[in-house]
Amino acid sequence: MVRSRQISESIGLGLLLALAGGFMDAYSYIERGQVFANAQTGNILLFGINISEGNLSTAFQYFWPVVAFTVGIALSEVIHRRDIRRLHWRQLSVMIEVVILVAVAFIPLDHNLIANSLISFVCGIQVESFRKMHGRGVATTMCIGNLRSATQNLCDYFEYKEKQYLRNSMLYFTVILSFIVGAVVGNFFIQLFGQYAILVCAFLQFIAFLMMFIDRESKII
């Protein structure tokens, strides 16, 4: 079967974006006051806990990143539905991510709420813009869905002995591994550059932007 695939669904690009996803989560958590850039379930949980304890100022440190993440998803949809001629809509989304991440690097550490909200905004754009890898639903900014899919496909492989299920499972586990590596790399650069470490993540996103100029829709057998 011959299928037309976009570079935006390629394994290489997906793993690079997962790497950036892990980097952003590590940066916001380690350097910007222990708030998650991607794991909005964690932010919502911490928001609820702090509300229950009467810590309103702390609660809203977790609330606004959730709102920003949601707005990022919405913006991605708006961009997708516009007629963009010079760039693929996903390229425009990534370019917006790059610009915002560069700006975050220069936001002082006493303005972490703004920084974390902007990073979550970027993550919202990314999670909505890149939802597939080789036709399979994959998330590049979080792991729970990938872990579920990896485990399900592994169980299907043991049940039906079809190698495609094993390949699917390994793909999902590889994306998770890439996310973990991104967190490790992120921590390394945070120790070196502090708040400016996010510029490394912006560079990774810029590489993703350039990759999408390569054969946007190639024929693969």
Side-chain angles (χ1 to χ4, degrees):
M1 180 183 294
V2 177
R3 282 189 67 181
S4 175
R5 298 195 187 277
Q6 295 181 340
I7 188 67
S8 58
E9 291 188 18
S10 70
I11 292 177
L13 182 65
L15 294 181
L16 179 62
L17 292 173
L19 188 77
F23 195 120
M24 286 187 283
D25 238 1
Y27 177 82
S28 66
Y29 188 83
I30 296 170
E31 188 66 14
R32 294 288 185 172
Q34 297 186 330
V35 175
F36 295 107
N38 294 312
Q40 300 308 321
T41 301
N43 288 337
I44 292 170
L45 173 66
L46 292 170
F47 170 71
I49 290 173
N50 280 280
I51 285 288
S52 70
E53 295 177 348
N55 302 322
L56 298 183
S57 60
T58 302
F60 281 97
Q61 295 290 323
Y62 298 102
F63 175 75
W64 289 114
V66 175
V67 173
F69 187 88
T70 305
V71 174
I73 293 173
L75 177 64
S76 177
E77 277 299 303
V78 169
I79 294 172
H80 185 193
R81 297 176 189 189
R82 292 294 179 269
D83 183 20
I84 303 169
R85 298 184 181 278
R86 294 194 176 187
L87 292 174
H88 190 282
W89 71 272
R90 289 190 178 94
Q91 284 181 296
L92 179 57
S93 294
V94 172
M95 200 64 242
I96 292 172
E97 293 180 43
V98 171
V99 171
I100 292 174
L101 292 179
V102 170
V104 166
F106 299 96
I107 296 176
L109 294 177
D110 56 354
H111 288 76
N112 282 342
L113 178 58
I114 297 173
N116 286 328
S117 296
L118 287 174
I119 298 171
S120 289
F121 178 72
V122 165
C123 292
I125 294 174
Q126 182 167 310
V127 76
E128 183 65 13
S129 299
F130 299 91
R131 297 188 295 178
K132 290 185 178 181
M133 191 180 297
H134 272 209
R136 301 167 184 85
V138 173
T140 59
T141 63
M142 57 192 72
C143 294
I144 186 168
N146 295 335
L147 184 58
R148 183 201 64 78
S149 296
T151 306
Q152 178 186 338
N153 276 277
L154 191 60
C155 290
D156 287 342
Y157 170 70
F158 286 121
E159 176 72 19
Y160 303 111
K161 302 299 187 293
E162 295 183 16
K163 290 185 178 179
Q164 185 59 49
Y165 291 123
L166 181 61
R167 286 193 289 268
N168 290 345
S169 180
M170 292 302 101
L171 173 63
Y172 286 112
F173 278 125
T174 302
V175 174
I176 294 170
L177 178 61
S178 184
F179 188 92
I180 294 170
V181 171
V184 173
V185 171
N187 190 30
F188 172 78
F189 281 107
I190 289 166
Q191 303 309 314
L192 288 180
F193 303 126
Q195 74 180 69
Y196 301 106
I198 198 66
L199 291 172
V200 177
C201 191
F203 179 70
L204 294 176
Q205 298 281 26
F206 185 67
I207 293 175
F209 171 79
L210 295 178
M211 285 177 66
M212 281 187 281
F213 281 108
I214 304 171
D215 194 14
R216 284 193 193 135
E217 299 207 358
S218 58
K219 296 286 186 178
I220 297 180
I221 297 179

